[in-house]
Coordinates of all heavy atoms in Angstrom, one line a residue:
V1198 N -22.8 80.7 -65.2 CA -21.7 81.3 -64.5 C -21.5 82.6 -65.1 O -21.4 82.8 -66.3 CB -20.4 80.4 -64.6 CG1 -19.2 81.1 -64.0 CG2 -20.6 79.0 -64.0
M1199 N -21.3 83.6 -64.2 CA -21.0 84.9 -64.7 C -19.7 85.3 -64.1 O -19.5 85.3 -62.9 CB -22.1 86.0 -64.3 CG -21.8 87.3 -64.9 SD -23.1 88.5 -64.6 CE -22.4 89.5 -63.3
V1200 N -18.8 85.7 -65.0 CA -17.4 86.1 -64.6 C -17.3 87.6 -64.8 O -17.6 88.1 -65.9 CB -16.3 85.3 -65.4 CG1 -15.0 85.8 -65.0 CG2 -16.5 83.8 -65.2
S1201 N -16.9 88.3 -63.8 CA -16.7 89.8 -63.9 C -15.3 90.1 -63.7 O -14.7 89.7 -62.7 CB -17.6 90.4 -62.9 OG -17.4 91.8 -62.9
N1202 N -14.7 90.9 -64.6 CA -13.3 91.3 -64.5 C -12.3 90.2 -64.3 O -11.4 90.2 -63.5 CB -13.2 92.3 -63.4 CG -13.9 93.6 -63.6 OD1 -14.1 94.0 -64.7 ND2 -14.4 94.2 -62.5
A1203 N -12.6 89.1 -65.1 CA -11.7 87.9 -64.9 C -10.4 88.1 -65.6 O -10.3 88.7 -66.7 CB -12.4 86.7 -65.5
R1204 N -9.4 87.6 -65.0 CA -8.1 87.6 -65.6 C -7.7 86.2 -65.9 O -7.2 85.9 -67.0 CB -7.1 88.2 -64.7 CG -7.3 89.7 -64.5 CD -6.3 90.3 -63.5 NE -6.6 91.7 -63.4 CZ -7.5 92.2 -62.6 NH1 -8.4 91.4 -61.9 NH2 -7.7 93.5 -62.5
E1205 N -7.8 85.2 -65.0 CA -7.4 83.9 -65.2 C -8.5 82.8 -65.0 O -8.6 81.9 -65.7 CB -6.2 83.5 -64.3 CG -5.0 84.4 -64.6 CD -3.9 84.1 -63.6 OE1 -3.9 83.0 -63.0 OE2 -3.1 85.0 -63.4
D1206 N -9.3 83.0 -63.9 CA -10.3 82.0 -63.5 C -11.6 82.0 -64.3 O -12.6 82.3 -63.8 CB -10.6 82.3 -62.0 CG -9.5 81.9 -61.1 OD1 -8.6 81.3 -61.6 OD2 -9.5 82.3 -59.9
S1207 N -11.5 81.8 -65.6 CA -12.7 81.8 -66.4 C -13.0 80.4 -67.0 O -13.6 80.2 -68.0 CB -12.6 82.8 -67.5 OG -11.5 82.5 -68.4
N1208 N -12.6 79.3 -66.3 CA -12.8 78.0 -66.7 C -14.3 77.6 -66.3 O -14.9 78.2 -65.5 CB -11.9 77.0 -66.1 CG -10.5 77.2 -66.6 OD1 -10.3 77.5 -67.7 ND2 -9.5 77.1 -65.7
E1209 N -14.7 76.5 -66.9 CA -16.1 76.0 -66.6 C -16.2 75.5 -65.1 O -15.2 75.1 -64.5 CB -16.4 74.8 -67.5 CG -16.5 75.3 -68.9 CD -16.6 74.1 -69.9 OE1 -16.3 73.0 -69.5 OE2 -17.1 74.3 -71.0
I1210 N -17.3 75.7 -64.5 CA -17.6 75.1 -63.2 C -18.4 73.8 -63.5 O -19.3 73.8 -64.3 CB -18.5 76.1 -62.4 CG1 -17.8 77.4 -62.2 CG2 -18.9 75.5 -61.1 CD1 -16.6 77.4 -61.4
T1211 N -18.0 72.7 -62.9 CA -18.6 71.4 -63.2 C -19.3 70.9 -62.0 O -19.0 71.2 -60.8 CB -17.5 70.4 -63.7 OG1 -16.5 70.3 -62.6 CG2 -16.9 70.9 -64.9
R1212 N -20.3 70.0 -62.3 CA -20.9 69.2 -61.3 C -20.2 67.8 -61.3 O -19.4 67.6 -62.2 CB -22.4 69.0 -61.6 CG -23.2 70.3 -61.5 CD -24.7 70.0 -61.7 NE -25.0 68.6 -61.5 CZ -25.9 67.9 -62.1 NH1 -26.6 68.5 -63.0 NH2 -26.1 66.6 -61.9
S1213 N -20.7 66.9 -60.5 CA -20.0 65.6 -60.6 C -20.3 64.9 -61.9 O -19.5 64.1 -62.3 CB -20.5 64.7 -59.4 OG -21.9 64.6 -59.5
S1214 N -21.4 65.1 -62.5 CA -21.7 64.4 -63.8 C -21.9 65.3 -65.0 O -22.1 64.8 -66.1 CB -23.0 63.6 -63.5 OG -24.1 64.5 -63.3
A1215 N -21.8 66.6 -64.9 CA -22.0 67.5 -66.0 C -21.4 68.8 -65.8 O -21.0 69.2 -64.7 CB -23.5 67.6 -66.3
I1216 N -21.3 69.6 -66.8 CA -20.9 71.0 -66.7 C -22.0 71.8 -66.1 O -23.2 71.8 -66.6 CB -20.5 71.6 -68.0 CG1 -19.3 70.8 -68.6 CG2 -20.2 73.1 -67.9 CD1 -18.9 71.2 -70.0
A1217 N -21.8 72.5 -65.0 CA -22.8 73.2 -64.3 C -23.0 74.6 -65.0 O -24.1 75.1 -65.0 CB -22.5 73.4 -62.8
G1218 N -22.0 75.1 -65.5 CA -22.1 76.4 -66.2 C -20.9 76.8 -66.9 O -19.8 76.5 -66.4

Side-chain angles (χ1 to χ4, degrees):
V1198 174
M1199 187 173 102
V1200 178
S1201 176
N1202 296 328
R1204 290 178 183 79
E1205 298 175 22
D1206 290 345
S1207 59
N1208 294 321
E1209 296 171 338
I1210 301 295
T1211 59
R1212 294 187 17 215
S1213 59
S1214 61
I1216 295 171

